[in-house]
Each structure stands twice: as structure tokens, then as C-alpha cells.
Amino acid sequence: MDETTKHLNGNARDAALEQIATRLAIRAERGRRFAELTSLRVGGAIDWVVSPETETQAAALVYELDQARIGWRALGSGSNILADDGEHHYVVLSLKELKGELEFNGEFVSVPAGYSLPRLCIDVARNGLSGIEGLGGIPGTVGGALWMNAGAYGHEIGTVTETVRVARGGKVVEIPGTDVQWNYRHTSFREGELLLGATLRLIPDDPEKIRARMEDAKSRRMATQPHGSRSAGCFFKNPPEGNLGTGRIIDELGMKGSRRGSARVSPVHANFIVTEGEGARAEDALALAEEVRERVKREHGIELEYEVELWRANEPRSSTGNDDAAGELKRKE
Ligand code: EPU
């Protein structure tokens, strides 16, 4: 394919995207970078960022993008993502505007995907509902937490999820939480599926007791994890076997504080990689992560699995498996 064809195809894709966004009255922006949209503050240019404000709008949007064969990926607060420094030629569907309101009904609470997880934890505690207070300090959206089955201090979001709302055929469809496999920091949701919200079933308890447990989790987190630095939380999963956690293993290898350009193994918790300085590079964080993996493999024979999601600019996938000339593929498997 020559450069002219590439360019024309890109223009046709852009025109189609603009039409869809206008028709659905959804904000579509150009010129954003992952460095502005992720907590690691690294990552390259994004073709388009679209920001639906309601679940209905978001469901219609992905349907139209799929019909037009325009590739997309959903982004919450970007607090568990390492996007590389390349040019990302797909549409980023930002869910941060999909905040809506909580709806309480007895022990149930319905929450949109873009709602802040720490905010949700505070709101349900105030309403005397327990079951997620351990998650209070995770700086993500509810959608992101559902996607990866976020967990901390004895709580996991999947455990309390009664139903999940997903986009199917242009509509909002509610599926039972029991249809989803909630594994350790992983679920059966697949790329190409958009999570719009959930209804959680919590346990009534004294708001003061819930708040005390939330404060306890917060102080444990403050004592053991870096705060105020640019990270994506734990970088690797803990190994499935053995008693040693990844943080402890990396720490005992003396790698706390190890550096690669703008990336560093946190001196506070060795399973956190932090970035520093203006113009920090994803490349540095990735090189450092690979160095850590190699050391752990060499010295312990353990293959660390990434806990953060790696978003590669040059990894287009389609539902058909065919390569698309402009690389504008549906990011579906
Ligand atoms: N440790 C060290 N050195 C370190 C870090 C930890 O020796 O640099 C030791 C600690 O002293 C402790 C043990 O390792 O004895 C476990 O550490 P910690 O309590 O910090 O728990 P973790 O297993 O490292 C997990 C989750 C965290 C979650 C906490 C609390 C994973 C990969 N990490 O950390 O989740 O907040 O438990 O529940 O499962 C995340 O998902 O991003 C995340 C940070």
C-alpha cells in the first residue's frame, strides 16, 4: 500500500467518525496523547478521543463504530494502562464523562461505568452499605474495576456484582454477574465488549464501622504503596504459587530504585514502576519492566505476568482476522 492510499483511507475513516459523533451528539476530539490520559503520564498520540455521556449514547456509538469497521478501545481513568509511545490509530472511547448518578434500592446500588471508584466507596459507606470499602483507594473508574476485577484488602468488585450493563447490538443489555468469570485481576470480558455500568449488591452495616474499615485500608495503603507519584498500581500479578508476593521478590533482588531513563522501580513498593520528569517515555517503563521480569525468571524461575494492560500502537486486530489496509480494524477477537 502506498502512502497516498493510506492517507485517503485515514481521511475516509475520519469523515465517518465525525459523522457518527455529530449524529449521536457525542464530543469527539483530536490531538490528545496517552501521556495526558493515563496515570503513568506516558504514551503517544491518539487519533480520536470520543466521550459519550450516557449509557444509551455509548451503546449506540460502539454499534456504529463496529458497523463502520472503525477500531476502538475503552478507557476509564487510565490508571492501569501502559500505552506505548507510538501513534495509536484507533478511537479511544473515554468513559470518564459517563458519570451519571447512583441509584440506591435497599442493598442494591446501580452505578455507571465512568463513576469514580473511590467516590462510589464513600457514597455507599455513607448509605450504610459494606462490601467494597477495601477498594476505596484505587484511583480508577467503576468500568475499569469491573473489567479487571479490581481487588484490595479482602474485597473484589466481582464478588458483589449482581448485574453488569453491556453494549450489545446498539442497546444497553443487562447480564447477570454470575455469567462473568471473575478471576484474580482478570475477567471473561473480551476486547470489543463495552461495559456501561453495574448493579452491586452490598451488605447493610453501620456507616461508622464501614468508614473505620475504609480508613484502615487507606492507612495500610499509604504505609506500603507510593502515593503522589505517577504509577499504574501493581505492575505484575502475584505468582499463583508460593507465599512470596511479587513486590517482596523484586525487593529481595535489590531492585528497588532501579532506573531506566524516566522510569524507576518505586523505592516504596517494588511492584510499582513510577515515571518521572517531563517527556517521560513508555519505552523506559517497558524496558525496566522487562529487566525485572528477566531477573525474576533467572533467579526464581518465575514468569511474571503483567497486571497492567499494555496498549501497543502497532497491534491492530480484527474480528475477521484479516488485515485491513488502513489498519482501521475492529479491535475484537
Ligand atoms: N513487600 C516487600 N517489599 C515490597 C513490597 C511488599 O517486602 O517492596 C512485602 C510486604 O511487606 C508484605 C508482602 O510483601 O509482607 C505483601 O505486600 P502488600 O501487602 O503490599 O501486598 P501485595 O501482594 O504486594 C496486593 C495487590 C495490591 C493490593 C494489596 C492490598 C497484587 C499484584 N497486588 O499487593 O493491588 O492493593 O495487595 O490488598 O495483587 C493493584 O492491583 O494494582 C495493587 C496494587
Side-chain angles (χ1 to χ4, degrees):
M1 178 181 46
D2 65 27
E3 281 305 307
T4 323
T5 324
K6 218 183 210 170
H7 191 64
L8 282 178
N9 283 347
N11 285 345
R13 190 278 314 260
D14 290 346
L17 189 274
E18 272 181 304
Q19 254 179 27
I20 293 169
T22 307
R23 189 162 61 244
L24 297 173
I26 295 173
R27 193 176 81 215
E29 299 165 84
R30 311 200 70 162
R32 306 298 304 271
R33 304 180 65 77
F34 276 111
E36 306 156 15
L37 298 176
T38 59
S39 55
L40 275 167
R41 295 269 174 259
V42 294
I46 304 166
D47 277 0
W48 289 95
V49 176
V50 290
S51 307
E53 290 177 23
T54 68
E55 296 184 24
T56 318
Q57 243 183 2
L61 174 65
V62 286
Y63 180 73
E64 301 238 3
L65 293 178
D66 286 347
Q67 292 292 308
R69 293 179 53 74
I70 297 175
W72 59 271
R73 296 192 86 158
L75 183 74
S77 18
S79 56
N80 195 48
I81 286 166
L82 174 60
D84 74 26
D85 302 306
E87 289 180 17
H88 296 253
H89 295 299
Y90 49 86
V91 170
V92 168
L93 209 159
S94 167
L95 291 167
K96 276 212 304 220
E97 299 308 319
L98 214 163
K99 293 192 283 266
E101 300 271 319
L102 298 185
E103 284 174 28
F104 286 93
N105 180 9
E107 72 223 68
F108 296 96
V109 60
S110 168
V111 56
Y115 209 85
S116 136
L117 185 61
R119 177 87 257 151
L120 174 70
C121 293
I122 292 167
D123 292 345
V124 299
R126 224 175 249 153
N127 279 268
L129 291 173
S130 162
I132 53 170
E133 51 271 29
L135 311 181
I138 299 177
T141 56
V142 168
L146 291 165
W147 180 261
M148 62 170 296
N149 190 20
Y153 303 107
H155 288 145
E156 253 183 17
I157 195 145
T159 320
V160 296
T161 302
E162 186 74 4
T163 60
V164 183
R165 294 185 295 281
V166 297
R168 290 210 181 139
K171 298 272 182 299
V172 182
V173 173
E174 194 160 38
I175 58 167
T178 47
D179 280 8
V180 179
Q181 284 165 34
W182 305 97
N183 303 320
Y184 166 56
R185 301 294 196 277
H186 190 260
T187 62
S188 48
F189 296 120
R190 304 290 294 271
E191 213 171 317
E193 179 130 64
L194 181 67
L195 310 187
L196 300 168
T199 296
L200 310 183
R201 182 183 198 155
L202 300 165
I203 306 143
D205 198 358
D206 175 7
E208 277 315 306
K209 286 188 183 155
I210 303 171
R211 182 165 280 280
R213 288 195 294 268
M214 201 147 70
E215 285 303 316
D216 179 50
K218 188 174 158 195
S219 48
R220 280 157 68 189
R221 182 186 297 279
M222 294 292 273
T224 56
Q225 298 181 5
H227 43 93
S229 34
R230 301 166 357 187
S231 86
C234 283
F235 220 83
F236 304 104
K237 293 182 183 177
N238 282 333
E241 281 140 28
N243 299 327
L244 282 187
T246 300
R248 179 96 178 261
I249 295 173
I250 302 170
D251 190 356
E252 286 179 354
L253 289 173
M255 295 192 84
K256 264 185 177 168
S258 301
R259 214 181 252 291
R260 266 291 181 115
S262 53
R264 197 173 178 210
V265 174
S266 164
V268 181
H269 192 301
N271 196 9
F272 280 63
I273 286 181
V274 298
T275 64
E276 294 171 345
E278 284 292 307
R281 311 261 312 154
E283 195 182 21
D284 291 338
L286 203 51
L288 183 58
E290 282 301 309
E291 192 180 319
V292 168
R293 283 182 82 223
E294 276 159 31
R295 275 289 298 281
V296 172
K297 170 82 178 143
R298 200 164 60 231
E299 316 236 356
H300 289 272
I302 296 170
E303 298 255 8
L304 290 181
E305 207 183 310
Y306 281 95
E307 201 263 308
V308 296
E309 277 192 24
L310 305 180
W311 286 21
R312 313 257 190 199
N314 294 316
E315 213 174 55
R317 268 173 279 173
S318 77
S319 52
T320 57
N322 294 329
D323 226 354
D324 179 307
E328 300 150 3
L329 302 170
K330 273 208 297 195
R331 299 188 66 83
K332 250 184 176 173
E333 290 175 343

